[in-house]
Amino acid sequence: MRRQGASRGAAQVVVVGVDTRGMGLIRECLGTEAVLPASSVPYAQAVDAVQSQRPNVVITGFDGDFEEAVRLGPLLQAQVQGIRLVAMSQQNEPERIRAAMRAGYREYVVLPADGSQLRQAVRESDLSPVGAEDQGQLISVVGSKGGVGTTLVACNLAAELSPVQRVCVVDLDFSMGDVAAFLDLQPKSSIHDLMASVTRLDSRMLSGSVSVHPSKVHVLAQPMELFTDEAVAGEKVLQVLTVVADTYQYAVADCGCRIDEATLTTTAVSDLILLVCNPDVPSVKNAWRRLQLMERQGTDKGTVRLVVNKWRKGLELSLADIERSLGVPVAATIAWDEETCMSAINGGRILREIDKRSAAVRDISAMVSLATEGVLRVEAPGSEKKAFGWLFK
Ligand SMILES: Nc1ncnc2c1ncn2[C@@H]1O[C@H](COP(=O)(O)OP(=O)(O)OP(=O)(O)O)[C@@H](O)[C@H]1O
Ligand SMILES: [Mg+2]
């Protein structure tokens, strides 16, 4: 995730595609906190205005011409390094919010309700360009189906990074999240608590809310008690993740296998998505369905890596079969290693503490380069047309 530098002085703002009423709301909200324009510029003049004024913040109206507002995102971002884009709307629909996020808008505000969020964005806006090297990386670990090893991979990848990096695992499985149980932690506060007070959330508050495993992995956990039918707002998840990425060098999100607001929002803003599957037909089929969904959602293919967990020789499916079926290469395999995995989980420990020479530790350790080498473009092997044909026969 991108992070912004600290504020020094009043930020300069350009407003695009916002009507008179909207301009009034912006003025009411920001007052003297920013250098505001007298009026909004039309969408067609946005790039010119940003080029000539080089503002710190652009507030784009999403209610006038939604498509144009989305299209402008990357164009405006390309004009000024570190520019902060804010989407403004009267509509709070998740699909619109995700589209805005994908287009590079860091905030999505509905005024006047989100006034404090807009003020915060302007205060934190980038008055000195911040390089990509300063940004905490967000890695999503997504399971193709239940039980494929998503939590094990998230915790142990974080543990491999933790000796030299500040790492936090964020448990985003809002139904049955069990990262804390995996690491035998008793969290005093949870991601639910942070989402409830998200307007006050900062690095300090986050640091007081995480649990720390002896491996130095920090965990933002789900609460012990289970909740039912709770809709989780993508915006709040995004706000929490932003603070995590501001605080740690790596945020590893255990997304489980559920398709919900929390995980869709998280994958939309991730630097790297590890899609975990097992070498069996149902799991590979679901990996294919997930890849299709990601494609429909506009996820950058270059950020997705396929990880085959519980891998062993002599299975009916070969790695070549899996690659041919999915149309993407296998970026990593993790060996089937039941003994080490079960001892680790039941003892609340990481795999390395059980047996640092085990095959699973060797493989997860090798995955560190996937996280640290940044985002590599991977071309799919073979013909896309053939993808999955044989599995669906
Ligand atoms: N490489 C492996 N070798 C052997 N067993 C493994 C391996 N990886 C995971 N397991 C086992 O698979 C089971 C499920 O692991 P885990 O809970 O991490 O999966 P998950 O995808 O997070 O499941 P859920 O859908 O319940 O969240 C555990 O019993 C774990 O020990
Ligand atoms: Mg899990």
Side-chain angles (χ1 to χ4, degrees), residues 65-105:
D65 188 339
F66 173 78
E67 314 254 297
E68 194 53 17
V70 168
R71 194 186 69 83
L72 276 175
L75 295 178
L76 297 178
Q77 214 161 30
Q79 306 306 315
V80 181
Q81 194 190 358
I83 197 167
R84 189 149 182 151
L85 303 184
V86 177
M88 177 175 160
S89 176
Q90 288 305 311
Q91 299 171 53
N92 220 348
E93 286 144 27
E95 204 37 61
R96 290 170 75 94
I97 297 173
R98 276 198 294 277
M101 295 302 160
R102 281 198 296 271
Y105 290 86

Side-chain angles (χ1 to χ4, degrees), residues 63 89 97 121 188 198 221-222 234 259 277 308 318 331 345 349 367 372 381:
D63 295 334
S89 176
I97 297 173
K188 288 197 195 73
V198 82
Q222 288 289 330
I259 297 165
C277 74
V308 179
S318 69
I345 290 173
R349 295 159 81 188
M367 283 172 60
T372 55

Side-chain angles (χ1 to χ4, degrees), residues 54-68:
R54 307 195 65 75
N56 309 103
V57 178
V58 178
I59 302 173
T60 306
F62 267 60
D63 295 334
D65 188 339
F66 173 78
E67 314 254 297
E68 194 53 17

Side-chain angles (χ1 to χ4, degrees), residues 195-341:
M195 286 170 60
S197 30
V198 82
T199 49
R200 291 188 293 118
L201 181 60
D202 59 11
S203 290
R204 216 173 139 150
M205 187 170 162
L206 173 68
S207 304
S209 305
V210 295
S211 310
V212 183
H213 187 260
S215 63
K216 294 209 290 185
V217 170
H218 291 206
V219 173
L220 184 53
Q222 288 289 330
M224 286 304 287
E225 65 272 32
L226 295 175
F227 292 89
T228 54
D229 291 326
E230 198 184 7
V232 176
E235 280 164 274
K236 287 192 177 173
V237 170
L238 191 69
Q239 283 169 282
V240 171
L241 289 174
T242 303
V243 178
V244 177
D246 281 347
T247 311
Y248 292 88
Q249 286 159 303
Y250 286 93
V252 181
D254 178 358
C255 294
C257 63
R258 277 167 33 122
I259 297 165
D260 59 16
E261 258 322 286
T263 58
L264 289 176
T265 305
T266 304
T267 50
V269 295
S270 289
D271 301 289
L272 185 67
I273 301 169
L274 301 178
L275 175 58
V276 182
C277 74
N278 293 158
D280 60 66
V281 169
S283 174
V284 175
K285 272 191 176 175
N286 278 326
W288 183 78
R289 296 166 84 192
R290 184 65 76 127
L291 286 168
Q292 297 288 304
L293 176 69
M294 287 180 187
E295 195 173 333
R296 285 201 303 277
Q297 305 254 303
T299 308
D300 179 355
K301 243 179 158 180
T303 62
V304 183
R305 299 286 180 280
L306 179 67
V307 176
V308 179
N309 184 29
K310 307 192 188 181
W311 172 249
R312 52 209 184 280
K313 288 219 171 92
L315 295 171
E316 277 173 23
L317 286 189
S318 69
L319 291 182
D321 288 336
I322 295 173
E323 291 187 334
R324 212 173 25 251
S325 312
L326 298 182
V328 295
V330 173
T333 57
I334 303 168
W336 169 261
D337 193 345
E338 192 173 16
E339 211 183 311
T340 317
C341 291

